[in-house]
């Protein structure tokens, strides 16, 4: 019938009107026209996704398109897993550190020092000096530069100003010109001239042999004082320089970061009589093998004892290329090193301006 064909082709709204057309007055052909009008009045059927019609599927596709970025979730999850793994590893290290007894720590620390003594039997202060005055001045000048640079500079300084009295009366501009290669030469000139004046005025031109007197001098802190006490007066002291700080933390001897606290904590691990040589051993190792940025782990004799093994290059051949000074076949830092160093195969440093 014509009316039935109209119902089949008008969608859901027209189908609902079919009973009314059959029971109402007039012919089936007359009922088709209202049905078509009803279908025209109800296009909003497209809003209903529940019927599963083609009109209802469009919003679902849009929603799906909007949720596409969700595919990035696995990357975030992987990143979160890596962070969690890193935290777990850190926590595991902390547990290991806390699990070590005091007795075990002392034994491990002393064993490392014994090994260092065998590796560096010729360890010594790497500043050239002939008396306490030259040592204290050289140590003040070594701040923010290498001992090698200081050793190349001080011969000219001490040739012109051999005593505290001479340096105290020096023209600052002339001293600055001599000290220029060491960096921060103006501040260093002020320190060494002030230091010399204090020695002349307060100590009769002599370097005092007590810690409390040394730290009162211009430019002299505990580190410099212990260098002087240990190497010019034979009085034990721990020299906490940057190398010493780095290595004792890598070996988990301490977790302190302030020099005074590091000094105090390490002092409890060793007999006082060993403090000065301990300092030399650790500093020698820090300069030659256990560097700040690229430790030569693969060439380090302490590898079996080191909790930080693996922080640096572990390939033996590559690690050998990172060795410095005599360990790498190069000159040392002193122009006039001890005979024991030369006997062990060490080579003296070149003078200023050479090579």
């Amino acid at each position: 019938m014509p009316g039935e064909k109209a119902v089949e082709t008008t969608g859901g709204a027209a189908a609902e009107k079919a009973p009314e057309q059959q029971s109402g007055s007039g012919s089936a052909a007359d009922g088709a026209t209202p049905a078509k009008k009803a279908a025209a009045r109800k296009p909003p059927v497209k809003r209903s996704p529940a019927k599963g019609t083609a009109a209802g599927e469009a919003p679902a596709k849009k929603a799906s398109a909007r949720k596409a970025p969700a595919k990035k979730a696995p990357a975030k999850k992987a990143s979160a897993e890596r962070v969690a793994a890193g935290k777990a590893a850190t926590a595991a290290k902390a547990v290991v550190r806390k699990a070590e007894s005091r007795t075990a720590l002392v034994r491990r620390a002393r064993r490392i020092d014994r090994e260092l003594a065998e590796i560096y039997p010729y360890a010594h202060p790497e500043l050239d000096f002939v008396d306490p005055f030259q040592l204290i001045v050289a140590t003040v000048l070594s701040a923010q530069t290498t001992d090698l640079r200081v050793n190349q500079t001080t011969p000219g300084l001490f040739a012109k100003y051999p005593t505290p009295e001479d340096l105290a009366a020096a023209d600052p501009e002339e001293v600055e010109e001599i000290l220029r290669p060491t960096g921060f030469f103006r501040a260093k000139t002020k320190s060494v001239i002030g230091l010399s004046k204090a020695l002349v005025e307060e100590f009769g031109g002599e370097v005092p042999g007590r810690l409390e007197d040394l730290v009162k001098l211009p430019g002299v802190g505990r580190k410099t004082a212990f260098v002087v006490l240990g190497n010019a007066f034979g009085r034990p002291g721990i020299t906490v320089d940057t190398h010493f700080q780095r290595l004792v933390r890598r070996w988990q001897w301490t977790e302190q970061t302030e020099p005074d606290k590091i000094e105090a904590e390490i002092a409890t691990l060793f007999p006082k009589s060993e403090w000065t040589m301990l300092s030399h051993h650790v500093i020698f190792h820090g300069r030659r093998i256990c560097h700040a940025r690229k430790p030569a782990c693969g060439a380090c004799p302490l590898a079996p004892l080191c909790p930080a093994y693996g922080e640096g290059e572990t390939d033996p051949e590559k690690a050998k290329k990172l060795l410095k000074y005599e360990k790498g076949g190069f000159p040392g830092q002193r122009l006039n090193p001890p005979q024991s160093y030369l006997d062990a195969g060490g080579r003296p440093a070149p003078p200023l301006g050479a090579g």
Side-chain angles (χ1 to χ4, degrees):
M1 293 173 62
E4 290 175 353
K5 289 182 181 178
V7 170
E8 290 175 358
T9 58
T10 53
E16 291 175 359
K17 290 292 182 178
E20 296 177 5
Q21 294 168 6
Q22 293 171 359
S23 61
S25 59
S27 66
D30 293 336
T33 301
K36 289 180 180 179
K37 290 181 180 179
R41 285 196 303 267
K42 297 213 172 186
V45 169
K46 294 180 180 179
R47 287 185 240 171
S48 173
K51 296 290 183 181
T53 61
E57 288 174 0
K61 290 182 179 179
K62 290 182 179 178
S64 176
R66 286 196 300 268
K67 291 183 179 180
K71 293 181 179 179
K72 296 181 181 178
K76 292 182 179 178
K77 184 178 180 181
S79 178
E81 288 175 354
R82 286 195 297 271
V83 172
K87 289 182 178 179
T90 302
K93 287 182 180 179
V95 170
V96 172
R97 175 68 179 90
K98 291 178 181 178
E100 185 176 41
S101 68
R102 173 69 183 178
T103 300
L105 172 60
V106 171
R107 288 176 177 171
R108 183 168 62 84
R110 294 185 182 184
R111 182 180 175 187
I112 288 177
D113 186 43
R114 289 195 298 271
E115 294 287 337
L116 290 173
E118 293 183 9
I119 299 168
Y120 309 106
Y122 46 80
H124 57 274
E126 296 191 86
L127 290 168
D128 283 326
F129 69 98
V130 297
D131 56 39
F133 172 64
Q134 288 192 3
L135 179 57
I136 196 169
V137 170
T139 306
V140 169
L141 296 179
S142 68
Q144 305 298 319
T145 191
T146 64
D147 287 357
L148 170 58
R149 179 60 64 187
V150 174
N151 292 335
Q152 292 172 326
T153 304
T154 50
L157 179 69
F158 295 137
K160 191 167 185 177
Y161 310 106
T163 68
E165 289 81 3
D166 295 325
L167 192 51
D171 180 345
E173 291 185 1
E174 294 181 1
V175 177
E176 286 179 2
E177 196 58 34
I178 295 173
L179 300 184
R180 186 180 293 274
T182 67
F184 302 96
F185 57 92
R186 292 188 179 88
K188 291 179 179 180
T189 295
K190 185 177 180 180
S191 292
V192 297
I193 290 179
L195 163 67
S196 299
K197 288 181 178 178
L199 291 177
V200 172
E201 295 171 2
E202 300 177 27
F203 300 100
E206 299 291 333
V207 176
R210 299 194 311 164
L211 176 64
E212 54 268 36
D213 292 330
L214 287 169
V215 294
K216 294 177 182 177
L217 298 172
V220 177
R222 290 179 69 87
K223 182 190 81 170
T224 298
F226 282 129
V227 169
V228 175
L229 289 173
N231 298 289
F233 293 99
R235 297 177 183 175
I238 296 177
T239 303
V240 185
D241 72 348
T242 56
H243 302 289
F244 193 95
Q245 292 181 51
R246 179 175 71 255
L247 268 62
V248 297
R249 286 198 294 270
R250 280 181 176 169
W251 293 333
Q252 295 182 4
W253 290 2
T254 181
E255 294 179 353
Q256 300 295 338
T257 56
E258 297 178 17
D260 290 0
K261 292 181 179 179
I262 291 174
E263 175 199 324
E265 199 159 306
I266 301 304
T268 66
L269 302 177
F270 298 89
K272 189 173 183 178
S273 60
E274 297 180 10
W275 289 354
T276 299
M277 285 311 300
L278 168 70
S279 301
H280 291 326
H281 293 154
V282 175
I283 293 170
F284 253 60
H285 193 63
R287 284 175 171 165
R288 286 151 178 78
I289 297 178
C290 196
H291 312 133
R293 294 185 179 180
K294 291 185 178 180
C297 294
C300 180
L302 295 180
L305 301 174
C306 183
Y309 175 79
E311 286 189 11
E313 179 58 64
T314 57
D315 181 85
E317 293 304 316
K318 292 180 180 179
K320 285 181 181 179
K321 296 178 181 179
L322 300 175
L323 300 178
K324 295 182 180 180
Y325 302 112
E326 73 282 350
K327 290 298 180 182
F330 304 109
Q333 301 203 76
R334 292 187 67 165
L335 276 70
N336 299 298
Q339 189 60 44
S340 60
Y341 174 77
L342 299 174
D343 292 341
R347 288 158 38 191
L352 182 64

